[in-house]
Amino acid sequence: MKKFFKVLKVIVTVLLFSYSLCFILLMFVMPKEERFSFAGNMQGMHLSQTMFNFLTWQHPDYAAAYFEQSVALNKRGKYAEGFRLLDKAVELDPKAHLGYRGYMKLRFLRDYDNALADFNRLDQLTPNFVDAPWGEDIDFLRGEAYFGKADFRNAISAFSRSLENLGEDWADVQTFVYLGLSEYELGKYEKAIAEFHRALEQAGATPEAHLGLAKAYQQRDNFKKAEEHVLKAEENLNYKRDDAYKEFLNEIYLQDILEVKEELSRL
Amino acid sequence: MLSKINLLLLISLLLAIVATGWFYHQMNNRVGDISFNKELDDPDFSLCSNEYVLQEYNSYGVDYNGGERAIKKQILEELQHENIHFDRSGLITFRFVVNCKGETGLFRAKSVNDDLEETAFDPEKIEKLQAAIAKLDQWEPGEGEDEKLNSYAQVHFKIENGKITDIF
């Protein structure tokens, strides 16, 4: 019986040490790619941040780890910490991370000049290649940045380049919408109407294009067409462009439609 | 006196307990979690049901009626009217909780300068901005399968040349 308990104690001790050893393997010993993947899947947890801290301590040149660690911080508004990590990733591997940093500055910070600086630098680093930061055409994003700066002429140039890059059939339908909005802001209502119609040729239910048309036709005193399109905007509002992270610069809401309807009803 | 095997068993047990506790803590705390602080927070504000708070970017999370543009429309004019002047440029980010009833609380502000380094704006002005956010009353709480949920939300104030130029 005494021997049995001794053997049992040895087994339990070995099991308990093995259990603790698993944590050490997970945090310090497993291949860095596997730990990166594990930490990435736990995004936002303290465990994820701790694992990235260990990874970058062991591998100070691991650009992707700095980038991935920054994501949760920036999403939750901790920009000083998030961008310190993202800047490090860019410093180590600018081609891989400049585009994302530009995208973050554009969409999360509305820091248009610095977003453009990142996109332009990325473009210079990749000659004869059309970059797609975070999956979107670089010229579309540059167009958005110029639009945010209210530099509508440069916005039109950038969005037009995006159409050349992707081809009209494959371009984001919002490219035409932004072109229409930029022309509208410059007071070129006929051109705006033409661009909004190009959007509808690609996707007839685009509510942003219908609302843009309603406003442009209103400016041209074509109230019948304006009313027709504002109703279509309302009818198709479910198809509007939105994103769980941030509001787009050209995002529309029911209130925008109701305001135009009210203006039209007063005429 | 403990025998060698008993000592090793005790050490292995303590190590396993510490590792489990540490792992539990690491798995149950999230970046940016805000907990009640009696120095800062309104004691009347409470979280609903299981106290879980959805992240602001969760697709079931909170929305504001009319979006960020409506927030800007509702408070920018009033703040500009108060002629609040800041001594530097940067971005002030408020993160807070909207509970299942659409009430707001647990406000925390973080600020960065143009170089995205942490900076501190005048606390009195930060309080004015917070008061403006607290007046917003068109929150649409996050929603689960059959219940309204608590969510985090953010409002940003862009400061250029000492003035608020954008709210989003």
Side-chain angles (χ1 to χ4, degrees):
Chain A
M1 199 64 178
K2 208 172 173 183
K3 197 175 175 187
F4 170 76
F5 275 114
K6 199 168 182 181
V7 171
L8 188 67
K9 280 179 191 174
V10 170
I11 291 170
V12 172
T13 303
V14 169
L15 284 176
L16 286 171
F17 271 125
S18 304
Y19 172 79
S20 300
L21 194 64
C22 287
F23 290 101
I24 294 169
L25 289 174
L26 176 68
M27 299 308 290
F28 298 104
V29 184
M30 269 168 53
K32 68 175 186 179
E33 293 78 11
E34 284 180 32
R35 282 185 282 154
F36 175 91
S37 172
F38 186 93
N41 289 332
M42 298 275 143
Q43 191 189 91
M45 300 285 177
H46 278 199
L47 180 67
S48 168
Q49 292 290 313
T50 306
M51 286 183 78
F52 282 125
N53 282 335
F54 288 144
L55 266 174
T56 51
W57 171 62
Q58 289 176 304
H59 305 279
D61 296 337
Y62 197 178
Y66 292 104
F67 150 73
E68 188 64 40
Q69 188 177 6
S70 77
V71 175
L73 295 162
N74 285 332
K75 278 182 184 176
R76 297 167 196 206
K78 296 187 150 203
Y79 298 124
E81 294 163 64
F83 274 88
R84 185 179 52 76
L85 292 163
L86 193 49
D87 288 349
K88 184 73 182 171
V90 169
E91 184 191 316
L92 291 166
D93 190 352
K95 276 191 201 174
H97 302 296
L98 261 172
Y100 175 73
R101 192 175 72 177
Y103 161 91
M104 290 299 292
K105 287 179 179 173
L106 169 63
R107 295 267 170 83
F108 276 64
L109 307 181
R110 295 195 178 177
D111 181 356
Y112 307 118
D113 286 327
N114 284 315
L116 281 167
D118 279 353
F119 295 140
N120 293 342
R121 195 177 144 212
L122 175 64
D123 208 11
Q124 283 171 359
L125 290 173
T126 56
N128 304 318
F129 180 77
V130 179
D131 296 285
W134 221 231
E136 292 182 66
D137 179 62
I138 190 166
D139 283 311
F140 180 86
L141 293 172
R142 280 196 276 220
E144 257 194 20
Y146 282 120
F147 187 86
K149 274 163 65 72
D151 180 349
F152 300 112
R153 285 182 206 287
N154 273 320
I156 290 169
S157 302
F159 285 121
S160 301
R161 280 199 307 276
S162 180
L163 290 179
E164 285 169 27
N165 296 340
L166 301 171
E168 292 203 11
D169 291 344
W170 292 97
D172 188 323
V173 68
Q174 298 297 331
T175 317
F176 302 111
V177 174
Y178 271 119
L179 280 167
L181 292 170
S182 302
E183 297 287 4
Y184 181 94
E185 291 292 340
L186 293 170
K188 295 178 181 171
Y189 303 119
E190 291 301 332
K191 278 190 171 180
I193 288 168
E195 297 296 356
F196 291 132
H197 275 298
R198 282 213 289 175
L200 295 179
E201 276 167 34
Q202 197 200 73
T206 309
E208 296 87 355
H210 282 298
L211 185 62
L213 277 169
K215 288 179 176 178
Y217 278 125
Q218 189 184 348
Q219 292 293 336
R220 304 300 294 153
D221 292 341
N222 189 340
F223 303 120
K224 194 174 167 226
K225 284 266 184 198
E227 207 161 302
E228 187 185 306
H229 283 287
V230 80
L231 290 174
K232 282 188 179 165
E234 188 173 11
E235 188 184 313
N236 292 298
L237 190 59
N238 285 344
Y239 300 109
K240 78 169 201 156
R241 181 196 195 212
D242 61 5
D243 179 77
Y245 290 97
K246 292 290 164 204
E247 181 177 84
F248 290 110
L249 296 176
N250 71 332
E251 191 156 340
I252 63 167
Y253 295 93
L254 181 61
Q255 283 87 332
D256 302 314
I257 293 169
L258 296 178
E259 273 173 29
V260 175
K261 276 178 93 173
E262 198 188 322
E263 279 172 30
L264 288 169
S265 71
R266 277 195 259 116
L267 293 170
Chain B
M1 199 60 184
L2 284 170
S3 69
K4 262 187 191 172
I5 185 65
N6 283 341
L7 185 66
L8 281 172
L9 180 60
L10 182 66
I11 292 170
S12 66
L13 182 66
L14 288 174
L15 264 178
I17 290 170
V18 169
T20 306
W22 177 82
F23 195 74
Y24 180 83
H25 176 267
Q26 291 278 313
M27 287 294 288
N28 283 283
N29 285 283
R30 302 177 299 173
V31 171
D33 275 350
I34 305 174
S35 44
F36 179 78
N37 178 338
K38 64 178 179 187
E39 307 288 324
L40 303 171
D41 299 316
D42 177 359
D44 293 334
F45 176 77
S46 60
L47 298 177
C48 305
S49 59
N50 61 10
E51 301 208 342
Y52 184 77
V53 185
L54 291 172
Q55 296 300 326
E56 49 271 65
Y57 45 85
N58 189 303
S59 52
Y60 300 104
V62 66
D63 276 320
Y64 194 76
N65 185 17
E68 292 168 5
R69 202 175 309 138
I71 293 177
K72 180 177 173 180
K73 201 172 172 185
Q74 211 168 320
I75 61 180
L76 182 59
E77 202 179 322
E78 184 189 322
L79 289 168
Q80 283 175 337
H81 195 68
E82 284 189 44
N83 207 16
I84 304 174
H85 190 85
F86 296 86
D87 62 353
R88 65 196 73 185
S89 294
L91 188 74
I92 302 169
T93 303
F94 282 89
R95 192 161 188 263
F96 51 96
V97 175
V98 181
N99 70 12
C100 66
K101 297 175 206 158
E103 300 162 343
T104 52
L106 308 184
F107 290 91
R108 299 291 183 270
K110 283 195 169 287
S111 310
V112 288
N113 61 19
D114 284 340
D115 296 322
L116 300 178
E117 293 157 344
E118 200 145 2
T119 193
F121 286 87
D122 180 347
E124 272 185 33
K125 286 164 189 164
I126 295 283
E127 269 180 39
K128 281 188 180 173
L129 301 186
Q130 183 175 316
I133 299 172
K135 280 187 204 163
L136 295 168
D137 57 0
Q138 296 287 311
W139 295 101
E140 295 163 354
E143 207 162 352
E145 269 183 21
D146 48 14
E147 59 176 345
K148 303 270 185 191
L149 299 166
N150 311 300
S151 308
Y152 287 111
Q154 288 181 33
V155 175
H156 300 82
F157 293 84
K158 192 172 184 177
I159 315 294
E160 290 175 300
N161 301 318
K163 290 189 172 170
I164 302 167
T165 55
D166 201 1
I167 299 173
F168 55 96

